[in-house]
């Protein structure tokens, strides 16, 4: 996310308080809405304020989440579009080119109304308007009748390239779900370490590495490890972070873990082996995201885990349970 201080621009006094405010918009498919809300709550320490927006004092790069569609560094607020336009007259962009964009989230307006609001506000700003490739984009949004204006950041979504892995399972975690699981496990990076003890083709590891999170992966299946290494190399990551090993023999301790429990669509995973893996995971990490294809609450409790939150996500007819535990 480019810092607004990189541009030659000043904002005059506004009706804002001294506290920084950031506005985020989000979108998700209905089959992943519960996962989206669960992830946003962990990233921001609060649930969304509206059906498609969230306001927070916490700054989060919108590229962290697969569900965030934009972030707005709020600079001005007002109880009418006229008030915002008046305040916009105090903005000095000097040599910086700009455009004003009305976000589609929040209060609903027609297309013509939105374009009219953009012209009203943009026409009051001292600077050079540039619609195609401006130095800075200013976002405008109305939420429950209160308008906000600020610097708009849209995610680059480079992680979408992770959908085209050389190796993958048809039932493997999607890039979007894997990225959300990493954010659940490590909502604050700060040097936190992550373990994926059943890493499969490395989907979780790739998302962790792309966010700068130190991670390691293990899998008991040599073919899976071979595929994971190929995928890591494909995206320029260290394939030595993956090795063949039974998670029950792992030593050490990690800040967080993501465990996608093994499953077979044609048979039942033995409960005693499931319990053994959950106990091993408890020894390896104090916080974990556990993915299962069946109810797991009782087994989690029996192995010393406390369930913080739970949701399900669907891929066709294939349903996954996602448990955030400590």
């Amino acid at each position: 996310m480019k810092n607004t201080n990189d541009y030659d621009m000043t904002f005059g006094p506004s009706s804002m308080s001294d506290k920084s405010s950031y506005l985020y918009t989000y979108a998700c498919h209905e089959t992943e809405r519960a996962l989206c809300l669960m992830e946003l709550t962990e990233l921001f320490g609060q649930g969304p304020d509206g059906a498609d927006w969230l306001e927070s004092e916490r700054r989060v790069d919108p590229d962290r989440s697969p569900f965030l569609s934009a972030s707005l560094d709020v600079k001005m607020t007002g109880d009418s579009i006229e008030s915002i336009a008046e305040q916009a007259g105090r903005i000095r962009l000097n040599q910086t080119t700009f455009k004003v964009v009305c976000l589609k989230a929040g209060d609903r307006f027609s297309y013509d109304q939105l374009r009219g609001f953009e012209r009203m506000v943009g026409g009051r700003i001292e600077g050079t308007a540039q619609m195609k490739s401006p130095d800075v984009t200013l976002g405008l949004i109305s939420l429950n009748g209160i308008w906000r204006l600020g610097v708009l950041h849209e995610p680059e979504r480079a992680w979408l390239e992770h959908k085209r892995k050389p190796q993958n399972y048809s039932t493997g975690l999607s890039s979007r779900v894997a990225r959300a699981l990493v954010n659940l496990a490590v909502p604050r990076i700060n040097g936190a370490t992550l373990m994926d003890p059943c890493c499969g083709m490395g989907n979780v590891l790739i998302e962790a590495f792309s966010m700068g999170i130190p991670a390691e992966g293990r899998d008991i299946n040599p073919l899976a490890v071979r595929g994971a290494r190929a995928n890591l190399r494909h995206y320029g990551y260290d394939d030595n972070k993956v090795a063949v090993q039974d998670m029950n023999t792992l030593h050490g301790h990690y800040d967080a873990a993501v465990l996608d429990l093994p499953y077979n669509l044609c048979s039942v995973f033995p409960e005693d082996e499931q319990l053994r893996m959950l106990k091993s995971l408890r020894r390896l990490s104090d916080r974990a995201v556990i993915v299962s294809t069946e109810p797991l609450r009782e087994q989690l409790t029996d192995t010393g885990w406390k369930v913080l939150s739970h949701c399900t996500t669907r891929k066709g007819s294939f349903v996954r349970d996602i448990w955030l535990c400590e």
Side-chain angles (χ1 to χ4, degrees):
M1 186 190 300
K2 197 171 181 70
N3 194 303
T4 56
N5 293 329
D6 294 337
Y7 299 115
D8 185 15
M9 55 195 295
T10 58
F11 291 82
S14 74
S15 59
M16 284 189 61
S17 69
D18 291 336
K19 288 186 178 180
S20 296
S21 176
Y22 305 100
L23 191 287
Y24 302 86
T25 60
Y26 68 93
C28 59
H29 190 274
E30 187 58 36
T31 59
E32 293 176 345
R33 183 167 181 80
L35 175 61
C36 168
L37 298 181
M38 188 169 160
E39 184 220 48
L40 294 179
T41 299
E42 291 304 310
L43 285 177
F44 293 99
Q46 66 181 75
D49 299 278
D52 51 12
W53 62 276
L54 179 150
E55 192 163 21
S56 174
E57 295 175 10
R58 185 173 293 173
R59 187 185 184 97
V60 174
D61 187 336
D63 261 316
R64 280 284 314 262
S65 169
F67 304 115
L68 289 177
S69 51
S71 71
L72 188 69
D73 298 355
V74 179
K75 301 295 184 182
M76 297 175 170
T77 62
D79 57 8
S80 68
I81 187 63
E82 291 79 12
S83 171
I84 285 291
E86 181 182 353
Q87 292 183 63
R90 298 195 288 270
I91 299 175
R92 303 290 182 266
L93 296 183
N94 305 316
Q95 303 302 312
T96 301
T97 60
F98 77 97
K99 70 175 177 180
V100 177
V101 173
C102 265
L103 279 67
K104 295 179 181 179
D107 300 338
R108 301 305 176 189
F109 299 96
S110 69
Y111 176 86
D112 289 340
Q113 285 177 309
L114 294 174
R115 302 294 83 80
F117 297 149
E118 292 168 352
R119 289 191 294 271
M120 181 188 299
V121 173
R124 300 293 296 272
I125 295 172
E126 184 176 304
T128 303
Q130 171 60 259
M131 301 309 293
K132 289 188 177 180
S133 55
D135 294 323
V136 64
T137 299
L138 298 176
L140 181 65
I141 189 171
S142 174
L143 304 171
N144 300 323
I146 302 299
W147 287 86
R148 292 154 176 83
L149 177 68
V151 180
L152 181 67
H153 303 279
E154 296 178 298
E156 296 179 5
R157 290 187 172 142
W159 59 267
L160 287 174
E161 291 296 318
H162 302 161
K163 295 171 66 175
R164 292 182 278 275
K165 299 178 183 69
Q167 305 290 326
N168 216 344
Y169 294 130
S170 61
T171 55
L173 295 170
S174 69
S175 301
R176 189 170 56 257
V177 171
R179 195 169 186 86
L181 297 184
V182 173
N183 285 330
L184 288 174
V186 188
R188 274 4 120 243
I189 297 178
N190 297 330
T193 55
L194 178 72
M195 166 55 73
D196 183 349
C198 294
C199 67
M201 294 293 173
N203 296 3
V204 165
L205 297 177
I206 289 168
E207 298 310 317
F209 290 145
S210 73
M211 289 187 272
I213 298 172
E216 296 180 20
R218 302 289 185 271
D219 204 288
I220 200 171
N221 184 348
L223 292 178
V225 170
R226 187 182 305 168
R229 285 176 172 165
N231 287 336
L232 290 173
R233 287 195 300 270
H234 179 76
Y235 293 108
Y237 300 123
D238 185 357
D239 62 356
N240 289 317
K241 296 297 183 179
V242 183
V244 177
Q245 189 172 2
D246 183 339
M247 69 169 290
N248 295 309
T249 67
L250 270 170
H251 297 286
H253 195 271
Y254 301 83
D255 295 305
V258 175
L259 172 61
D260 188 4
L261 283 167
Y263 49 83
N264 189 322
L265 298 180
C266 301
S267 63
V268 177
F269 186 55
E271 184 174 355
D272 58 344
E273 181 58 25
Q274 188 180 79
L275 290 171
R276 186 181 177 212
M277 294 174 73
L278 292 174
K279 287 178 182 177
S280 294
L281 188 71
R282 192 71 187 86
R283 171 174 50 81
L284 293 168
S285 177
D286 296 325
R287 180 182 175 93
V289 176
I290 300 161
V291 183
S292 67
T293 57
E294 57 191 23
L296 205 65
R297 191 176 294 272
E298 184 177 341
Q299 292 91 325
L300 289 168
T301 300
D302 290 345
T303 51
W305 289 103
K306 176 184 177 182
V307 177
L308 301 178
S309 54
H310 164 258
C311 74
T312 61
T313 184
R314 182 182 299 272
K315 183 179 181 182
S317 61
F318 189 50
V319 179
R320 285 184 168 94
D321 281 85
I322 297 170
W323 312 83
L324 175 60
C325 304
E326 64 176 16

